[in-house]
């Protein structure tokens, strides 16, 4: 038997963030890729499948978009942890398995979640034009907001999936983020 629902990551001040449809199943229940892709198409967002793994006492995560399975989804990971915390009363931190890696997701404060994974090197992105493109993909297009020298951008290698890491000077920047998927995909 599967349970699930729509939840959001990167929400600030009651504003919705990135949607993810979470599907939770018991151990041994088959993951139907076609159904997950159809669900992603129907709800218009990524689907995170969380399947209980009793032998490791974790949930195995898999991620789907309308065209197929993807290796990793950061906001899907955060949304799955928030869902499991709320509806399955799992305490923070929550250990989630992605492929062969364990990711620890922690509630830092009410409503704020973050995750850690195995250490991986970060390479600073210093080209202002690239940082500006990144900010535009996050919907931060006002030339006065933010000052480009306050935002740090990095690219990773060796993680579950290579990542783009953005460091803002404080969490107030999150309120203005409105991700432009097409622009984000072009950058990534």
């Amino acid at each position: 038997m599967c349970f699930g629902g729509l939840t959001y990551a990167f929400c600030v001040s009651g504003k919705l963030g990135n949607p993810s449809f979470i599907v939770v199943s018991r151990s041994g229940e088959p993951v139907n890729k076609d159904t997950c892709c159809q669900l992603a198409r129907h709800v218009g967002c990524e689907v995170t499948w969380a399947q209980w793994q009793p032998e490791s006492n974790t949930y195995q995560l898999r991620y789907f978009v309308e065209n197929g399975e993807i290796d990793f989804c950061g906001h899907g990971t955060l949304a799955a942890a928030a869902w499991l915390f709320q509806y399955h009363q799992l305490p923070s931190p929550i250990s989630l398995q992605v492929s062969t890696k364990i990711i620890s997701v922690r509630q830092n404060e009410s409503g704020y979640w973050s995750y850690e994974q195995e250490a991986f090197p970060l390479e600073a992105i210093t080209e202002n034009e690239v940082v500006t493109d990144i900010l535009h993909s996050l919907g931060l297009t006002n030339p006065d907001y933010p000052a480009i020298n306050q935002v740090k951008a990095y690219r990773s290698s060796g993680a579950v999936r290579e990542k783009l890491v953005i460091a803002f000077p404080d969490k107030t920047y999150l309120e203005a983020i409105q991700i432009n998927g097409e622009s984000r995909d072009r950058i990534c």
Side-chain angles (χ1 to χ4, degrees), residues 45-176:
C45 68
E46 172 272 337
V47 171
T48 299
W49 188 291
Q51 186 172 51
W52 176 244
Q53 303 296 311
E55 63 280 354
S56 60
N57 203 29
T58 62
Y59 278 86
Q60 172 78 42
L61 298 185
R62 294 174 66 182
Y63 311 94
F64 299 88
V65 294
E66 63 181 74
N67 297 328
E69 188 168 1
I70 58 176
D71 292 335
F72 185 75
C73 179
H75 74 275
T77 300
L78 295 171
W83 178 271
L84 292 167
F85 176 81
Q86 182 174 356
Y87 295 103
H88 291 264
Q89 290 74 49
L90 291 185
S92 174
I94 299 171
S95 292
L96 301 170
Q97 186 172 343
V98 177
S99 185
T100 61
K101 308 284 186 192
I102 297 292
I103 296 178
S104 177
V105 184
R106 170 179 316 279
Q107 186 176 34
N108 302 47
E109 57 185 271
S110 182
Y112 287 92
W113 292 82
S114 64
Y115 63 87
E116 299 173 5
Q117 60 189 42
E118 291 182 11
F120 51 90
L122 292 176
E123 175 188 334
I125 299 171
T126 57
E127 302 88 0
N128 283 346
E129 182 179 303
V130 175
V131 174
T132 300
D133 287 346
I134 292 167
L135 296 175
H136 283 226
S137 75
L138 296 173
L140 302 173
T141 57
N142 184 335
D144 298 329
Y145 185 87
I148 199 161
N149 61 353
Q150 293 180 339
V151 175
K152 305 298 181 206
Y154 307 89
R155 57 178 65 89
S156 72
S157 63
V160 173
R161 181 176 92 172
E162 290 195 10
K163 296 183 164 291
L164 178 63
V165 178
I166 310 299
F168 293 106
D170 61 63
K171 68 182 179 184
T172 59
Y173 289 80
L174 295 175
E175 293 182 8

